[in-house]
Amino acid sequence: MAKEQPAAAAKTGSRSKKTGSKSLSRLTKDERLELMKLLRRQNPNPKPELHYKNAYELLCAVLLSAQATDASVNKVTEKLFALAPDPEKMVELGEDRIADCIKSIGLWKAKSKNLFNMSRILIESFNSKVPSDFDALVSLPGVGGKTAYVVQNVFFRIPVIAVDTHIFRVCNRTGLCPGKNALEVQKRLPEVIDDIFKLDAHHYILLHGRYICTARSPKCEECVIAHLCKEKKQKVKS
C-alpha cells in the first residue's frame, strides 16, 4: 500500500467536488446517510474483537490477524502477552519462543520474525512507544497500511477507515463504494461517508460484513440495509 498520511482522506474533498461522490457510489447521498444510520443503530457502541490492553498489544494483535480470525489470535495472544506485554519483554522472549506461542495461526514464522524486529525498532527508534503517525507505523516490520489504519482508528481515535475483506465485500454488494480491490475502496470510501460516521465507520461496516453480509451465505433476511442493497435489488429483478 502506498504510504500516505491519514489526512489525505480529507484532501480528497477537492476531487469529490469535481467528480462528485455519486461517481464513487451507486447509492444516492440520502441512501448512504440512511445506510450508515442503520448500521450505527445495529451496533451503537462497536468494539474491536481483538483483545488488548495498550497500543503495543493492539499493534501486535492486528499484525497477527492477517489471514487469521480474531478468535484464533486472541487464543495465542493470551499466552504471548502474559510473557511479553511490552517491546522489551518481547525482545527478551526471542523469536523462537514467540514462534512457539503463535504457531497455531497462519504465517506464524514470518509473524514471529516481524514481532521481534518490530519490537526491537520500537525500542531503538520510538522510545518503546507505538507512534500514531501513519508513515512511522508502516515503517515497522510487518505493519502495512491496513494495520496502521486500524491502530490509528481504534487506539488513537483518528477517523480513518481500514478496508479488509468484510468491508470490501459490503461496499461492493451494497453499492456503497464499489472497487476492484481493497486499496481502491480504501482510497474512495472516505469521500462517500459523512464525517459524523467516519470515526466508527470501520467497525459499523466490518461487523455487518462479518456477521450478516457474510461471504458464502449472506443473511439477507436479517439485514437492516437490504432495502438499499444493489445486489439484493438486482437478484429480485432477475
Side-chain angles (χ1 to χ4, degrees), residues 124-157:
E124 295 172 355
S125 302
F126 297 98
N127 195 30
S128 298
K129 303 294 183 183
V130 175
S132 61
D133 177 73
F134 181 86
D135 284 339
L137 282 166
V138 296
S139 72
L140 298 169
V143 179
K146 187 179 75 172
T147 296
Y149 277 152
V150 172
V151 172
Q152 283 188 312
N153 180 256
V154 173
F155 192 84
F156 296 105
R157 303 304 285 159

Side-chain angles (χ1 to χ4, degrees), residues 21-195:
S21 57
K22 183 178 179 181
S23 63
L24 304 177
S25 177
R26 296 177 64 196
L27 303 179
T28 66
K29 182 178 180 179
D30 287 343
E31 287 174 332
R32 296 195 299 271
L33 186 63
E34 182 182 0
L35 181 145
M36 292 308 300
K37 283 182 177 179
L38 290 170
L39 293 183
R40 181 176 63 182
R41 185 182 302 168
Q42 180 174 251
N43 287 292
N45 297 296
K47 302 293 182 183
E49 297 186 330
L50 289 171
H51 297 167
Y52 68 96
K53 295 178 182 177
N54 51 52
Y56 175 70
E57 289 188 357
L58 174 64
L59 177 59
C60 292
V62 178
L63 186 155
L64 291 171
S65 69
Q67 296 188 35
T69 65
D70 286 359
S72 67
V73 171
N74 288 336
K75 287 182 180 179
V76 301
T77 55
E78 182 177 4
K79 178 181 179 181
L80 179 65
F81 293 158
L83 297 172
D86 55 51
E88 288 81 6
K89 286 189 172 61
M90 190 70 76
V91 170
E92 288 177 14
L93 194 62
E95 192 175 324
D96 290 341
R97 292 186 66 194
I98 294 171
D100 286 340
C101 291
I102 68 169
K103 60 185 178 182
S104 63
I105 62 174
L107 307 177
W108 60 272
K109 289 184 179 180
K111 290 174 181 178
S112 60
K113 182 177 181 179
N114 285 333
L115 279 181
F116 178 81
N117 288 324
M118 178 193 74
S119 301
R120 178 178 53 80
I121 292 174
L122 283 176
I123 296 169
E124 295 172 355
S125 302
F126 297 98
N127 195 30
S128 298
K129 303 294 183 183
V130 175
S132 61
D133 177 73
F134 181 86
D135 284 339
L137 282 166
V138 296
S139 72
L140 298 169
V143 179
K146 187 179 75 172
T147 296
Y149 277 152
V150 172
V151 172
Q152 283 188 312
N153 180 256
V154 173
F155 192 84
F156 296 105
R157 303 304 285 159
I158 297 172
V160 291
I161 308 172
V163 174
D164 67 355
T165 56
H166 299 299
I167 295 176
F168 177 72
R169 181 171 62 252
V170 172
C171 284
N172 275 281
R173 280 182 177 171
T174 62
L176 174 63
C177 186
K180 296 178 181 178
N181 51 57
L183 178 59
E184 185 173 88
V185 173
Q186 186 158 285
K187 288 180 177 179
R188 296 177 173 185
L189 190 55
E191 297 189 46
V192 302
I193 300 291
D194 193 282
D195 287 346

